[in-house]
């Protein structure tokens, strides 16, 4: 952050279970957040929405309530684990103010919606949060956000040779 | 930039004649570049390539050499004016080291190529550099760069209510 008259900024970082997201958070901590700044990092994790099940003839359900409950538990455990990892990464680098938010939904919608709702100054994210096949099907999260977000968006790509502090 | 152990960073800022680009540069100066950093800002302007002229029957040229020369002169004047404006904006905000580069070509290719060639740590740009019609035809510059660039890319959008120092 430039200047000693540093303002309080809210920086939303989209986190997920992928390495790209960890790298993006690390890059942001080392390159964007000033050490004695008043910046607040908001770590946002999007939990997949409950599975959609449609029965063509109206007689069957694809998922039993037990399966749904177990998927929900898996989602909660994953969210907790991602947030724990992200939080300790923040503490490792420097003592920045951190808030965490877990929301249900498609990351594309969740990130755009939350950035507006929270009035953040900037959004930081990895270049995608999906595997190859899922990405081709769903479209890139980062592309969607660049097109639809109203605030500055930083897409952190991990070049093969790059170390996180570069 | 975080920490007093600040590294020398090269930050490429894509500039053009549009307001979005001026806003992106201003935002970058106020939010990314630290006051006493060793950062170097590389201001990059892409001049349109010489006009392509094809004659269907091989007997005619669409542009005379005079017209091409005059378009070339217009391009040079525009590049100079954009760079002058960008340079003085940099000096207004704080005394950062600035380099300027003017290259011929489609901005999408020029920005990607130069970011690799110069080994920059980050690219900053407005959300687009074209008017509506041209953009629909050419595709968004920022989308192309987000997809093809290997380093972090910051797309600075200008929300209606945002002041440049926000």
């Amino acid at each position: 952050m430039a200047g000693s008259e540093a303002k309080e900024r809210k920086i939303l970082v989209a986190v997920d279970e992928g390495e790209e997201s960890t790298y993006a958070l690390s890059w942001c901590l080392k390159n964007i957040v000033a050490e004695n700044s008043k910046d607040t990092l908001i770590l946002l994790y999007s939990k997949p929405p409950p599975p959609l099940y449609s029965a063509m003839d109206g007689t069957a359900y694809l998922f039993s309530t037990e399966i749904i409950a177990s998927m929900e538990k898996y989602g909660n455990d994953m969210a907790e684990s991602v947030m724990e990892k992200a939080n300790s990464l923040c503490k490792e680098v420097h003592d920045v103010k951190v808030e965490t938010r877990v929301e249900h939904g498609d990351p594309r919608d969740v990130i755009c919606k939350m950035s507006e709702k929270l009035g953040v100054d900037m959004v930081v994210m990895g270049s995608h949060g999906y595997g190859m096949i899922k990405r081709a099907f769903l479209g890139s999260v980062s592309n969607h956000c660049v097109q639809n977000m109203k605030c500055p968006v930083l897409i952190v790509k991990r070049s093969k040779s790059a170390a996180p502090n570069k």
Side-chain angles (χ1 to χ4, degrees), chain A:
Chain A
M1 174 77 181
S4 50
E5 77 297 358
K7 291 194 175 179
E8 251 177 77
R9 298 185 300 180
K10 283 188 202 171
I11 302 172
L12 188 149
V13 185
V15 294
D16 63 25
E17 51 279 18
E19 268 184 38
E20 291 219 17
S21 134
T22 310
Y23 181 76
L25 173 59
S26 168
W27 199 93
C28 167
L29 285 163
K30 289 175 180 162
N31 286 276
I32 304 295
V33 180
E35 200 148 350
N36 298 311
S37 71
K38 296 169 189 162
D39 292 345
T40 300
L41 278 193
I42 303 170
L43 307 176
L44 174 65
Y45 178 76
S46 311
K47 266 202 303 189
L52 289 173
Y53 46 98
S54 62
M56 298 295 284
D57 59 359
T59 57
Y61 291 97
L62 290 181
F63 298 110
S64 70
T65 47
E66 284 78 15
I67 290 178
I68 293 170
S70 122
M71 287 170 91
E72 180 66 22
K73 189 187 173 306
Y74 175 79
N76 289 341
D77 290 351
M78 180 62 89
E80 207 176 304
S81 138
V82 167
M83 284 306 186
E84 210 176 283
K85 193 175 158 194
N87 250 316
S88 40
L89 187 58
C90 292
K91 277 184 197 138
E92 254 174 48
V93 181
H94 50 77
D95 202 22
V96 64
K97 198 173 151 198
V98 176
E99 289 173 13
T100 57
R101 304 209 51 138
V102 177
E103 300 285 332
H104 255 118
D106 183 321
R108 293 173 299 183
D109 304 325
V110 168
I111 298 168
C112 290
K113 209 178 87 186
M114 293 309 290
S115 71
E116 280 203 50
K117 192 175 162 191
L118 303 172
V120 301
D121 297 283
M122 181 182 193
V123 169
V124 179
M125 57 197 304
S127 57
H128 62 81
Y130 291 125
M132 276 276 272
I133 297 169
K134 242 185 173 179
R135 190 162 73 250
F137 179 65
L138 289 167
S140 156
V141 179
S142 54
N143 267 10
H144 177 90
C145 290
V146 166
Q147 276 181 345
N148 293 287
M149 212 94 87
K150 287 179 186 152
C151 66
V153 187
L154 172 65
I155 309 293
V156 182
K157 285 205 171 183
R158 179 176 200 165
S159 68
K160 295 243 156 44
S161 60
N165 60 344
K166 168 94 199 205

